[in-house]
Amino acid sequence: MIDHYFQTPDDVERRRAVTARIWGTEYELTTANAVFSFEGLDLGTAVLMRESPIPENARRLLDLGCGYGPIALALADHCPSAVVDAVDVNDRALALCRDNAAALRLSERVRVLRPEQVPPDASYDEIWSNPPIRIGKQALHELLLTWLPRLAPEGVARLVVGRNLGADSLQRWLGEQGWSCERVASAKGFRVFEVRRADNVNGSH
């Protein structure tokens, strides 16, 4: 079932507590049914966080497809000078993310938003995402082409994609769209990519 990628569920919410260990810190988080990876930190996100450096100097960060918030909350916790936009289309996920941020006293620096609530001129030092591959190739491509241009000129997007869910073809496609996409890690059946503007990588302007 992938309805959580498209809409807010209308069934009765059943919340549960889970523990997620990210960058050496254990977080007690609340999840619920009909939200991505409601049983706990999913393997792809765990690989992404383990294989990626903490962006200590970043000021503006985006968690694209935040779910109940593990990426956004870890970023805000470990980057005290950063503001993190946590974006999703599932209102239940957004409510959970908001509650988890409040419980961790991170609400002032975690802005929980639907896509249309993000200011049109917002740009980011880094974009982090375990993107919703199962929404289909066309929808995924549209999603990435909407948000990647919001990277600051020297910014980087960090993505995790399952090898068996088209990671390598996505890497090729991003290159064809004019982005530099480097595979920086491969673990547990997942690829971790760093995506940058190609002109910055090539040194041309």
Side-chain angles (χ1 to χ4, degrees):
M1 179 178 128
I2 60 173
D3 285 349
H4 56 259
Y5 289 138
F6 300 102
Q7 61 192 23
T8 299
D10 56 9
D11 56 346
V12 176
E13 181 180 84
R14 296 183 299 277
R15 292 193 169 199
R16 61 182 295 175
V18 298
T19 300
R21 186 173 181 83
I22 302 173
W23 289 327
T25 302
E26 283 201 352
Y27 298 98
E28 299 294 330
L29 303 174
T30 300
T31 71
N33 55 306
V35 170
F36 175 68
S37 190
F38 74 96
E39 295 183 342
L41 189 68
D42 65 286
L43 185 56
T45 298
V47 169
L48 173 66
M49 305 308 279
R50 186 176 68 241
E51 300 293 343
S52 301
I54 299 170
E56 296 175 349
N57 298 320
R59 295 295 183 269
R60 290 295 305 275
L61 299 166
L62 169 65
D63 176 6
L64 180 59
C66 64
Y68 57 88
I71 295 176
L73 299 170
L75 287 170
D77 187 34
H78 286 268
C79 307
S81 60
V83 172
V84 184
D85 285 356
V87 174
D88 209 300
V89 297
N90 183 326
D91 288 333
R92 180 177 294 177
L94 294 175
L96 289 163
C97 185
R98 196 174 290 113
D99 289 351
N100 285 324
L104 295 171
R105 299 184 178 179
L106 295 170
S107 296
E108 289 188 1
R109 293 188 297 105
V110 177
R111 305 194 314 170
V112 183
L113 305 165
R114 290 186 59 86
E116 62 271 17
Q117 295 174 319
V118 178
D121 59 347
S123 66
Y124 301 98
D125 299 313
E126 296 198 5
I127 294 174
W128 291 63
S129 187
N130 180 352
I133 300 298
R134 297 182 187 276
I135 63 175
K137 185 176 292 186
Q138 180 177 346
L140 176 66
H141 289 176
E142 291 175 358
L143 179 75
L144 293 174
L145 291 179
T146 296
W147 292 95
L148 287 177
R150 290 177 176 264
L151 279 174
E154 304 296 329
V156 58
R158 305 186 186 279
L159 311 178
V160 63
V161 182
R163 185 181 64 236
N164 295 333
L165 292 175
D168 295 338
S169 63
L170 181 64
Q171 183 180 17
R172 287 192 299 272
W173 177 81
L174 284 167
E176 293 167 358
Q177 305 307 306
W179 296 90
S180 166
C181 183
E182 178 185 1
R183 189 175 87 197
V184 295
S186 183
K188 308 290 187 181
F190 291 90
R191 312 281 205 219
V192 177
F193 297 131
E194 289 184 356
V195 183
R196 293 179 169 84
R197 298 180 186 277
D199 54 358
N200 289 334
V201 174
N202 297 333
S204 60
H205 298 280

